[in-house]
Amino acid sequence: VALDSGYKTPWIMKQIIDTQRIPAVPYKRPMTKDGFFKKYEYVYDEYHDCILCPNNQVLTYSTTNRDGYREYKSDPKLCKTCSMRSQCTESKSCQKVVLRHVWEPYMELAEDYRHTPEYRDIYKLRSETIERVFADAKEKHAMRYTQLRGLQKIKMQVTLTFACMNLKKLATWKRRKGMLRSFFSHLIQNIALSDSQFIIKRQKGAMQFA
């Protein structure tokens, strides 16, 4: 499953991997301030269930918040005299808090897949296939904005739009295969046959009524 970095979240990675599929996602830059340590510089120790900071101090598990993130906190006494504190935290309490999602192993597994040549090549195809579909839908089929409200109405619009786009693809494929003329002639014959059957039924009904 090829996705851009905006979909690289623990929940989405879990859903993909649990359904026996493999995510092909790009690198996502750490969202940290300039001059501060990146998240990957805080190493998780699975055996002791703790995190080691860049200065080799231990951040112990504290609690799990309602969003599913486990909180690991440092010892303020050690951080207060740490020479790297200016690159680590701006907390007034001199305590560093590192968050790790309960589904973080799925994120790590997705990151491992990212480094394999096979899935790196799959992601490159995304710009040639999926992105073109999105662009076509937005520019030619009014998918950039909507005048409808409500999930059901939006779902109906999206379904009909992509059904039309699939019909366009089918017509293009049939034209390349030389099947488009026979397809339309067959369609016209079916319409004519349906009309003739309808006329005969109407005539029979009129005779029975008389």
Side-chain angles (χ1 to χ4, degrees):
V1 181
L3 305 167
D4 63 24
S5 59
Y7 296 94
K8 194 175 181 181
T9 64
W11 186 84
I12 293 177
M13 295 300 103
K14 181 180 185 301
Q15 296 300 313
I16 293 174
I17 295 173
D18 282 350
T19 53
Q20 306 300 317
R21 293 176 293 176
I22 296 177
V25 290
Y27 171 73
K28 187 175 183 179
R29 291 184 298 176
M31 294 180 288
T32 54
K33 294 181 180 180
D34 293 336
F36 284 79
F37 293 123
K38 304 295 187 294
K39 185 178 179 180
Y40 58 79
E41 296 182 82
Y42 296 87
V43 181
Y44 176 66
D45 187 333
E46 184 177 2
Y47 183 80
H48 294 97
D49 189 24
C50 65
I51 289 179
L52 297 176
C53 76
N55 200 25
N56 293 322
Q57 298 298 326
V58 177
L59 282 72
T60 57
Y61 170 73
S62 174
T63 185
T64 301
N65 61 31
R66 64 179 63 187
D67 295 323
Y69 286 92
R70 295 168 60 87
E71 298 181 1
Y72 295 84
K73 298 181 179 181
S74 65
D75 185 350
K77 296 179 181 179
L78 297 175
C79 292
K80 191 173 183 179
T81 58
C82 180
S83 59
M84 299 181 179
R85 182 160 62 92
S86 60
Q87 299 173 267
C88 183
T89 181
E90 295 177 324
S91 173
K92 294 181 180 179
S93 62
C94 300
Q95 187 176 54
K96 175 66 177 179
V97 179
V98 176
L99 303 179
R100 177 181 170 85
H101 202 276
V102 293
W103 293 332
E104 191 69 23
Y106 291 95
M107 295 287 287
E108 295 171 351
L109 191 57
E111 190 68 12
D112 291 339
Y113 288 133
R114 184 178 70 84
H115 292 286
T116 59
E118 178 183 359
Y119 296 103
R120 190 163 56 239
D121 294 339
I122 290 175
Y123 183 78
K124 290 180 181 178
L125 297 175
R126 184 179 182 277
S127 60
E128 304 173 10
T129 54
I130 303 301
E131 289 294 341
R132 292 180 61 184
V133 173
F134 289 157
D136 194 35
K138 288 194 295 184
E139 296 299 327
K140 299 179 181 179
H141 298 278
M143 288 289 288
R144 189 177 293 276
Y145 306 102
T146 181
Q147 297 179 346
L148 303 177
R149 290 186 178 182
L151 182 60
Q152 292 300 324
K153 292 181 180 180
I154 299 298
K155 185 177 180 180
M156 177 188 67
Q157 180 188 8
V158 171
T159 303
L160 290 174
T161 299
F162 283 108
C164 293
M165 294 177 68
N166 286 336
L167 288 174
K168 287 172 59 179
K169 286 186 176 182
L170 177 62
T172 302
W173 178 79
K174 284 183 173 291
R175 179 177 59 81
R176 291 175 180 173
K177 296 292 183 178
M179 302 166 58
L180 195 59
R181 181 171 298 179
S182 60
F183 170 76
F184 278 112
S185 62
H186 181 68
L187 179 63
I188 293 171
Q189 289 176 2
N190 286 338
I191 293 174
L193 180 62
S194 299
D195 288 342
S196 62
Q197 291 176 349
F198 177 72
I199 293 171
I200 293 172
K201 287 182 179 179
R202 287 191 61 185
Q203 290 176 349
K204 287 183 178 180
M207 291 174 62
Q208 290 175 359
F209 180 77

